[in-house]
């Protein structure tokens, strides 16, 4: 396109953004208008994307980190012929694919955005896939706002991108000077951003974001820069093109008051259609790896590690070996860690499959974001750190669910059972955190063979999958051929209708429950013990049977009392039918340093506490 | 001290760190040894701290961000005469104050550390208090590791500190080259850190971290630098002084194998005692503000806003007005926001009390960390953003609990009821997230007067207090003089023993429950309606009474089904006694854009869904 046509396309994108927001009665036209020329130049001259084949492996990626500027993105899709004008005007309506913030319900959107500061970290994951795994020369474009540069996650990504020489990544910062409630920290000081990015090792280009010729050159420079990611710092004006709102405060996130006048001021509706460049032919034959365990054929044989019953093995160690084995069987499995691979045991994978291992250093947001980025390219990521530190990335986990991302997150060092290190290192909220994520799966194994099986099983599930592992060695309870369906549980002790109570536990407390069951039997109180390794979904049938047979349930968990195992079991009895009597043991006080055994005792979740609680429950009908 | 004595003190700190870890059989001596000379110079020549009066307002603050190096900190306390040698050797024992990572169980520790990358953001909060509120010339020292510079939260703080010209803040980075599992990204490249910090506007000093003379000069330079925070970048060697471990991989987080030999190599035990400088006399008379509502006297009269029953007011708006009023009554109340004050309504406070308002821009980790820092100085912070985006700071919330911090967090735009913006902006995991935090309080008001009362009440609670507010206007239900004790609830509809079921709701769903109750009464099904504004602690008595009277409970929440209201009510029936029949309505599908009314209908949490669910529950004994 000639430059005057590009400018005209920019105006068209503005008009369509104004129209969409006007039709919706809400949305962010002014934030769209500042970036319209950026969008026009990118779409018409630089993006290589086959809109008819969004699965094309050679397609560039475009992440709208400033997701509230969705009207711009949808206007670009319209200009590319991917959506029609009728659909554009369904913006923000019930049932429309054109949501307030973009989601992968649209086939051209890889990840949901709208929580600021996530686009670049996820884009880094996509660029890592292109650079280190796919060997396809797609380019990743991230369009971000200036306000979101305050997010620490952006700087984790800035560091990671430069360190990995991701020259297939371009960040465009729409520096429109105005955040939601007023001026940004740096307003139009492009040099402030330039200094920071440059210090981290980025190539930077400062540009007038409304000069299409300059933008065109900047994008060309970005694509041709080698060994460095490029940031295009574009000075723009929010609401550009409409004098009533341009560069003025108070117009964030609102449709324009007089849309017709604004459209007229912008030159009226246009009908430019962009013939977006397609990716190179040569890349068409290549295909992104697909999940080998999916519908397309037999799952490859994974030679999972086998552990002998009675041996003492930490579940984190079993995880490490299983992941290594899974990586040997499946080319689509990748692993990531936040610089604690010797603790989480991802180091086994790292040594066996260094080409598919991603060290994210101590940057948990980047860890989860990279996993999300990698899964958009067909990989099956396992991202690990201490369970406690996954809380650092909770917003990324939440958004992964909105992105319909399939990721495996593995948190080690769960609970007080870690011992001396104290509460800062103990995952005590992780079950609550992951249970409440939409569509998630939460697994908590108690032994090595169970862990290995679950590690393999979780690969092919949908959504966010969480596996909780423990620090200390624990006896192997199950044989290596035992299977553990998601949503299932195991009844490890039962005396049929003689059982006076059911103890429900998982992980470290399962071992305490078994000890307690033995002691209780000596006291003449036979109990049922359920290994609830699948915390979500939970095995309603087995729990219901146990409730019917024993009349009461005691849950025991190395977790705070809220949101974990106790709540999961209670939820199983929310079907309107009579519920059993229930009691729960959990970590109710703030722990300190102590040995693992002392911790379990002090928290009241060891065998002795279980014995006492069952006695109370059975004999007096009350909880401790 | 002469420089050779400083060097000797450094060796003493190393010896004591080695001894403490050896006695414990775990811990991080090598990470302590790298920073020992830094600790020696700081303690002997620069820190002004009255160890006998840790509450002294003029005391400098010392935050050990690399909390795993706790043996160094405790060795410093011993050198200062604050702990004795016997106590030093209780390190990591059950009952000892000397935990694996420092916590405020020690009177000289303001905040718990151990989750890396939190020390600087919290230090920024302390420095903001000193600079903008206290007007006391204390200095804030943060000692951090090099690995943790990868955390985005550090860069949020770096930006915030420079932007606020916090020259009362010094960051010392112990660049010991080795992280937990191997070399850091930048190893000994001090210039890499220097470039980054300098770009953000910091003064930097590069120094050999084992040259006490150079360190002495660096600290002096830091303290005398004006208008800028200073970073001392100290090149050190992990395990310094013991050849078997010095600068070698594989010795992170382990006691030295031969402690006696190491101690001998370090020159043997020493008994230097440091007479730590006290803060200036002139600052002694000043006192940090204390919580005016505490034990020390009458709470000042707060003229809370009063809303008329029947008026339509959003709870977020009521929060804004109440916070403004609270700020007028109490000098200790401060407010913070992450650049969405026009949405959360903290803008009312900002306009009325600009001196006590802290704009954190879009950096939620810094937002929560600053609140934690401010409360260490006696302030009562209210930090607000969208409920969804508080998930960005979950690790900081978790650590705030370990720090025994008293902070108020207010999350607006809860649930699908926000409408068109879609799932990225909806808080749907926040109740789960906050319920599972140790010692937390979780409040969810449904009307403006209730909100105002709870805003005032939460100020004087202990621990992490969370208030969930809603976007849309809702009718005022309660009169302005109604009181709402924490742990209470309100029965808004009751027909005594005629009630066939109890509907438990809060916030937006409470209004739907009331509508449903009217419809159900028309259908001949009288129901009880409980307003469960206190989600944690939960009103067990009222729920038990309702269960006894009606036999079944239906919970309705604008939140995912896990971890929120439904779980909280279920938890109330975990006392081992017979539980009622229960069912729950919650947001089970991934929402998209739609109007608020459509959202509630689609999620199945509106009046119509409640009517249907109660009918099922009462007539057929099952859940939808």
């Amino acid at each position: 396109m000639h430059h005057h046509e590009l400018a005209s396309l920019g105006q068209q994108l503005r008009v369509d953004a104004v129209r969409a927001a006007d039709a919706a009665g809400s949305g962010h036209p002014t934030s769209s208008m500042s970036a319209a020329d950026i969008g026009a130049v990118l779409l018409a001259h630089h993006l290589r994307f086959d809109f008819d084949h969004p699965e094309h492996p050679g397609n560039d990626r475009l992440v709208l980190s400033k997701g509230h500027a969705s009207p711009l993105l949808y206007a670009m899709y319209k200009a590319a012929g991917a959506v029609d004008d009728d659909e554009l005007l369904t913006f923000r309506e019930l049932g429309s694919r054109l949501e307030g913030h973009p989601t992968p319900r649209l086939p051209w959107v890889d990840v949901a955005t709208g929580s600021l500061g996530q686009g670049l970290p996820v884009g880094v994951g996509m660029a890592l896939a292109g650079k280190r795994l796919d060997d396809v020369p797609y380019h990743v474009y991230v369009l971000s706002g200036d306000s979101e540069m305050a997010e620490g996650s952006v700087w984790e990504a800035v560091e990671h991108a430069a360190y990995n020489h991701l020259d297939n990544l371009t960040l465009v910062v729409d520096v429109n000077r105005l955040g939601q409630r007023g001026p940004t920290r740096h307003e139009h000081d492009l040099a402030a951003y330039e200094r920071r990015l440059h210090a981290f090792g980025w190539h930077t280009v400062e540009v007038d974001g409304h000069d299409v010729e300059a933008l065109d050159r900047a994008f060309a420079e970005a694509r041709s820069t080698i060994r460095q990611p490029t940031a295009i710092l574009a000075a723009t004006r929010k609401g550009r093109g409409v004098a009533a709102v341009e560069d003025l405060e108070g117009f964030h996130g609102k449709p324009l008051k007089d849309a017709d006048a604004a459209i007229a001021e912008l030159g009226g509706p246009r009908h430019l259609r962009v013939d977006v460049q397609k990716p190179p032919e040569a890349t068409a034959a290549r295909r992104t790896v697909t999940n080998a365990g999916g519908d397309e054929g037999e799952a490859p044989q994974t030679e999972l590690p086998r552990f002998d019953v009675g041996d003492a093995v930490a579940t984190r160690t079993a995880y490490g070996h299983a992941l290594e084995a899974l990586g040997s069987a499946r080319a689509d499995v990748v692993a990531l860690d936040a610089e604690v691979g010797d603790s989480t045991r991802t180091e086994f994978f790292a040594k066996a499959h260094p080409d598919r291992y991603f060290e994210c250093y101590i940057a948990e947001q980047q860890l989860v974001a990279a996993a999300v980025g990698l899964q958009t390219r067909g990989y099956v990521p396992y991202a690990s750190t201490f369970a406690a530190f996954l809380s650092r990335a909770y917003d990324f986990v939440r958004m992964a669910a909105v992105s319909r991302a399939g990721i495996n997150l593995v948190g080690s060092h769960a609970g007080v059972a870690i011992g001396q290190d104290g509460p800062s290192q103990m995952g005590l909220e992780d079950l609550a955190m992951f249970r409440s994520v939409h569509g998630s799966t939460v697994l908590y194994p108690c032994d090595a063979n169970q862990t290995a099986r679950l590690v393999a099983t979780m690969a092919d599930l949908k959504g966010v999958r969480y596996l909780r592992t423990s620090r200390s060695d624990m006896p192997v309870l199950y044989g290596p051929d035992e299977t553990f369906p998601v949503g299932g549980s195991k009844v490890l002790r039962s005396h049929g209708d003689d059982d006076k109570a059911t103890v429900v536990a998982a992980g470290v407390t399962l071992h305490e429950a078994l000890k307690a069951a033995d002691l209780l039997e000596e006291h003449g109180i036979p109990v049922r013990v359920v290994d609830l390794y699948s915390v979500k979904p939970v095995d309603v049938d087995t729990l219901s049977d146990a409730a019917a047979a024993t009349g009461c349930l005691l849950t025991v968990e190395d977790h705070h009392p809220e949101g974990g195992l106790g709540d999961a079991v209670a939820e199983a009895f929310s079907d309107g039918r009579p519920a059993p009597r229930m009691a729960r043991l959990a970590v109710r006080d703030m722990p300190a340093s102590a040995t693992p055994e002392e911790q379990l005792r002090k928290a009241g979740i060891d065998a002795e506490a279980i014995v006492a609680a069952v006695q109370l429950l059975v004999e007096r009908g009350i909880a401790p």
Side-chain angles (χ1 to χ4, degrees), chain A:
Chain A
M1 274 189 179
H2 289 293
H3 286 137
H4 69 270
E5 280 177 299
L6 285 176
S8 186
L9 178 60
Q11 292 294 79
Q12 171 175 319
L13 298 179
R14 288 187 177 90
V15 167
D16 281 343
V18 169
R19 291 175 63 233
D22 188 57
S26 69
H28 294 257
T30 56
S31 299
S32 299
M33 292 156 82
S34 61
D37 299 310
I38 296 165
V41 173
L42 177 59
L43 187 74
H45 280 193
H46 301 276
L47 190 74
R48 299 176 188 170
F49 200 96
D50 185 343
F51 277 88
D52 295 327
H53 299 98
E55 76 292 351
H56 193 300
N59 279 342
D60 287 345
R61 323 311 306 176
L62 171 56
V63 182
L64 184 72
S65 189
K66 48 179 291 182
H68 53 289
S70 56
L72 168 63
L73 187 69
Y74 304 152
M76 289 166 68
Y77 290 162
K78 184 191 144 188
V83 306
D84 63 23
D85 199 62
D86 287 345
E87 186 171 12
L88 180 74
L89 299 181
T90 66
F91 178 51
R92 288 175 166 246
E93 282 180 10
L94 176 67
S96 173
R97 300 186 296 177
L98 308 187
E99 297 192 40
H101 297 75
T103 76
R105 288 176 66 204
L106 288 164
W108 319 286
V109 173
D110 288 308
V111 290
T113 49
S115 180
L116 293 171
Q118 299 211 8
L120 187 65
V122 171
V124 165
M126 297 172 177
L128 283 168
K131 202 88 188 159
R132 282 188 48 187
L133 302 173
D134 291 351
D135 193 26
V136 178
Y138 62 76
H139 202 87
V140 180
Y141 294 100
V142 176
L143 176 53
S144 103
D146 46 354
S147 273
E148 64 184 296
M149 298 298 282
E151 287 284 12
S153 56
V154 169
W155 298 96
E156 292 183 13
V158 164
E159 177 78 284
H160 206 67
Y163 185 75
N164 285 280
H165 305 292
L166 297 180
D167 50 20
N168 58 344
L169 174 68
T170 295
L171 169 70
V172 188
V173 187
D174 175 24
V175 186
N176 68 18
R177 192 184 74 81
L178 292 172
Q180 168 171 331
R181 68 98 206 78
T184 61
R185 263 199 192 101
H186 302 298
E187 302 207 25
H188 269 141
D189 182 5
L190 294 188
Y193 298 103
E194 190 277 339
R195 280 194 304 274
R196 287 159 175 75
L197 288 157
H198 199 78
F200 279 84
W202 282 55
H203 180 64
T204 58
V205 189
E206 296 183 30
V207 69
D208 173 351
H210 301 307
D211 178 342
V212 291
E213 210 171 327
L215 281 167
D216 208 11
R217 283 194 305 270
F219 274 111
E221 185 174 326
R223 192 131 192 167
S224 63
T225 297
I226 56 166
R227 300 276 299 163
Q228 283 180 302
T230 296
I232 298 175
L233 303 167
T236 63
R237 292 163 75 89
K238 200 160 176 171
R240 166 75 169 189
V242 175
V245 297
E246 183 173 326
D247 201 34
L248 296 175
E249 289 185 44
F251 298 103
H252 179 93
K254 296 171 185 165
L256 301 195
K257 278 205 182 109
D258 190 340
D260 289 339
I263 292 164
E265 187 177 346
L266 291 164
R270 287 177 176 78
H271 306 285
L272 293 171
R273 171 76 164 73
V274 178
D275 195 14
V276 177
Q277 287 176 85
K278 296 210 168 23
E281 275 300 318
T283 62
R286 304 192 198 171
R287 57 193 289 279
T288 304
V289 294
T290 55
N291 187 323
D295 295 333
E296 299 177 29
E298 282 288 285
Q301 285 301 314
T302 302
E303 294 279 350
L304 285 176
R306 300 169 70 84
F307 302 93
D308 293 333
V309 172
D311 278 5
V313 185
T315 53
R316 60 174 170 146
T317 305
Y319 161 64
H321 289 303
L323 185 62
E324 178 190 345
L326 199 63
S328 298
R330 297 174 56 146
D332 56 354
V333 167
V334 299
L336 310 90
D337 203 285
E339 223 248 88
V340 289
D342 51 338
S343 288
T344 61
R345 308 302 199 214
T346 57
E347 65 181 359
F348 305 153
F349 185 102
K351 275 173 197 149
H353 315 291
D355 51 319
R356 281 180 279 142
Y357 181 74
F358 297 84
E359 176 59 77
C360 297
Y361 294 90
I362 306 183
E364 294 81 5
Q365 296 183 93
Q366 181 58 67
L367 173 80
V368 174
V372 170
L374 285 160
Q375 64 84 39
T376 67
R377 311 299 304 139
Y379 297 97
V380 180
Y382 285 74
S384 311
T385 184
F386 284 30
F389 304 140
L390 284 171
S391 63
R392 200 64 156 259
Y394 193 33
D395 195 28
F396 284 78
V397 175
R398 183 182 75 84
M399 287 299 294
V402 182
S403 291
R404 284 73 168 167
I407 56 172
N408 303 287
L409 300 175
V410 181
S412 69
H413 293 67
V416 298
I418 67 164
Q420 288 85 350
D421 272 342
S424 64
Q425 318 294 300
M426 295 170 173
L428 288 166
E429 303 85 0
D430 55 321
L431 295 177
M433 184 171 107
F434 284 104
R435 259 184 85 234
S436 67
V437 169
H438 176 73
S440 65
T441 302
V442 180
L443 305 170
Y444 181 18
C446 67
D447 95 340
N449 284 318
Q450 190 180 51
T451 304
R453 288 282 178 164
L454 292 175
V455 168
T457 299
M458 67 196 291
D460 298 321
L461 302 177
K462 289 194 187 303
V464 173
R465 292 89 76 163
Y466 176 61
L467 183 85
R468 185 186 218 217
T469 67
S470 300
R471 175 176 177 275
S472 301
D473 289 342
M474 295 190 286
V476 177
L477 298 177
Y478 297 104
D481 297 315
E482 184 100 23
T483 58
F484 302 94
V486 170
S489 66
K490 294 284 174 185
V491 178
L492 289 186
R493 289 279 194 288
S494 177
H495 316 73
D497 287 342
D498 290 340
D499 289 329
K500 300 283 186 250
T502 302
V503 181
V504 185
V508 64
T509 59
L510 192 272
H511 297 272
E512 299 299 315
L514 292 176
K515 282 183 238 167
D518 293 342
L519 293 168
L520 284 161
E521 203 165 347
E522 289 170 22
H523 287 78
I525 306 179
V527 297
R528 189 168 296 192
V529 176
V530 177
D531 173 10
L532 200 73
Y533 62 83
S534 179
V535 178
K536 181 185 175 189
V538 78
D539 186 350
V540 175
D541 290 344
T542 299
L543 292 172
S544 296
D545 289 350
T550 71
C552 60
L553 272 68
L554 175 73
T555 59
V556 193
E557 59 190 310
D558 193 357
H559 185 275
H560 287 151
E562 303 87 6
L565 204 72
D567 278 357
V569 170
E571 194 195 359
F573 297 100
S574 62
D575 62 355
R577 286 179 289 193
R581 296 187 292 119
M582 282 184 272
R584 54 177 79 176
L585 301 180
V587 181
R588 294 182 186 273
D589 294 325
M590 178 59 68
S593 288
T595 67
E597 296 69 30
E598 289 167 341
Q599 297 279 11
L600 295 180
R601 189 163 70 240
K602 195 148 193 303
I605 55 172
D606 66 350
E608 199 178 313
I610 296 169
V611 167
V614 168
Q615 286 176 323
L616 264 185
L617 196 56
V618 170
E619 292 164 7
R620 299 180 48 200
I622 56 171

